């Protein structure tokens, strides 16, 4: 493990272990969103530990994934500490709205990477509306969902490509690596077990 990024990941996991476990145990929508990236990173890290080296593709995937996961956690911490003053119950109650804010951040980043102006009024208004709703502790969830759909129509209309989030890309990577994240336990009725 010569590469510093893998040591950074191990340190990051230790530093954020409690938060990640709390999200996972509470079946948080935030954990669901980050799980594909986190699972792939763990898989590659474990593979590196066992085999002492990995191919360039896995190394590239790891670097991109860790950079993304790290930046997402920094954003989550900012929201947790500023909008929620570190109150867990409120944070859990508004976690879907936090996921919307993370998604908006992802879209803006993708647009900027593709040299598309991400300063879109509908997106700006949506972001402000979500943050205001959280600060005022309102429960306008349905209104926000409708506003999100309208803003995304405008945003996707400005893109000349189909937007695929990094989370969706990591779901596909996970499946290709044999990591099935969203497997549901099937209930078998009518057969003896």
């Amino acid at each position: 493990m010569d590469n510093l990024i893998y040591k950074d990941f191990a340190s990051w996991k230790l530093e954020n272990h409690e938060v990640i476990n709390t999200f996972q145990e509470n079946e948080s929508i935030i954990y669901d969103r980050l799980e594909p990236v986190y699972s792939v990173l763990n898989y590659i890290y474990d593979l590196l530990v066992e085999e002492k080296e990995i191919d360039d593709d896995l190394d590239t995937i790891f670097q991109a994934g860790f950079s993304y996961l790290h930046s997402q956690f920094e954003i989550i911490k900012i929201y947790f500490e500023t909008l929620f003053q570190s109150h867990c119950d409120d944070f859990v109650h508004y976690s879907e709205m936090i996921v919307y804010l993370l998604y908006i951040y992802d879209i803006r980043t993708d647009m900027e990477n593709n040299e598309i102006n991400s300063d879109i009024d509908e997106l700006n208004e949506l972001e402000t509306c979500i943050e205001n709703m959280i600060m005022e502790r309102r429960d306008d969830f349905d209104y926000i969902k409708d506003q999100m759909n309208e803003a995304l129509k405008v945003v996707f209309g400005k893109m000349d490509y189909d937007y695929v989030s990094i989370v969706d890309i990591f779901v596909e990577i996970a499946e290709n690596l044999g990591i099935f994240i969203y497997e549901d336990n099937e209930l078998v009725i009518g057969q003896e077990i």
Side-chain angles (χ1 to χ4, degrees):
M1 288 198 332
D2 303 335
N3 198 328
L4 189 60
I5 193 166
Y6 297 99
K7 292 177 183 175
D8 288 346
F9 177 67
S11 296
W12 181 89
K13 277 179 60 172
L14 286 173
E15 180 182 324
N16 294 291
H17 178 74
E18 275 187 46
V19 175
I20 292 168
N21 278 352
T22 300
F23 285 166
Q24 188 176 16
E25 289 168 3
N26 291 308
E27 298 177 3
S28 167
I29 190 170
I30 292 173
Y31 181 80
D32 290 345
R33 176 176 166 67
L34 299 176
E35 183 181 17
V37 179
Y38 187 62
S39 295
V40 168
L41 293 177
N42 278 318
Y43 176 88
I44 295 171
Y45 180 82
D46 291 345
L47 192 65
L48 180 69
V49 169
E50 291 169 14
E51 298 181 12
K52 302 297 182 214
E53 77 178 57
I54 55 173
D55 65 37
D56 289 342
D57 290 340
L58 289 179
D59 186 57
T60 301
I61 290 167
F62 188 90
Q63 289 184 35
F66 183 48
S67 174
Y68 177 77
L69 186 65
H70 187 272
S71 69
Q72 291 285 288
F73 248 78
E74 290 305 308
I75 293 167
I76 291 166
K77 284 180 187 176
I78 289 168
Y79 284 127
F80 182 66
E81 292 167 3
T82 58
L83 291 178
F84 298 99
Q85 287 79 43
S86 303
H87 292 109
C88 250
D89 291 340
D90 287 346
F91 186 73
V92 169
H93 184 69
Y94 289 97
S95 61
E96 185 175 4
M97 298 299 109
I98 298 300
V99 168
Y100 287 175
L101 291 169
L102 294 172
Y103 190 70
I104 291 168
Y105 175 81
D106 286 355
I107 290 172
R108 285 188 193 277
T109 302
D110 192 73
M111 292 177 80
E112 290 163 8
N113 289 341
N114 286 287
E115 298 179 3
I116 299 171
N117 183 7
S118 67
D119 187 21
I120 300 170
D121 289 340
E122 290 83 356
L123 210 52
N124 297 338
E125 288 171 22
L126 174 62
E127 197 169 27
T128 301
C129 190
I130 293 171
E131 289 175 349
N132 287 341
M133 183 189 98
I134 292 170
M135 283 188 291
E136 296 166 8
R137 300 300 191 260
R138 294 190 326 262
D139 291 337
D140 303 338
F141 299 121
D142 290 335
Y143 173 75
I144 294 295
K145 288 177 187 178
D146 292 341
Q147 195 175 7
M148 180 84 165
N149 288 329
E150 293 304 314
L152 291 179
K153 283 180 194 173
V154 172
V155 169
F156 294 147
K158 294 184 182 288
M159 296 178 171
D160 59 353
Y161 60 94
D162 289 332
Y163 172 71
V164 180
S165 75
I166 194 163
V167 173
D168 291 334
I169 292 168
F170 269 81
V171 167
E172 192 170 316
I173 291 169
E175 289 176 0
N176 288 332
L177 293 173
I179 306 166
F180 297 100
I181 298 164
Y182 300 122
E183 266 187 357
D184 293 326
N185 294 332
E186 292 183 9
L187 176 62
V188 180
I189 299 176
Q191 296 181 6
E192 289 185 44
I193 298 178

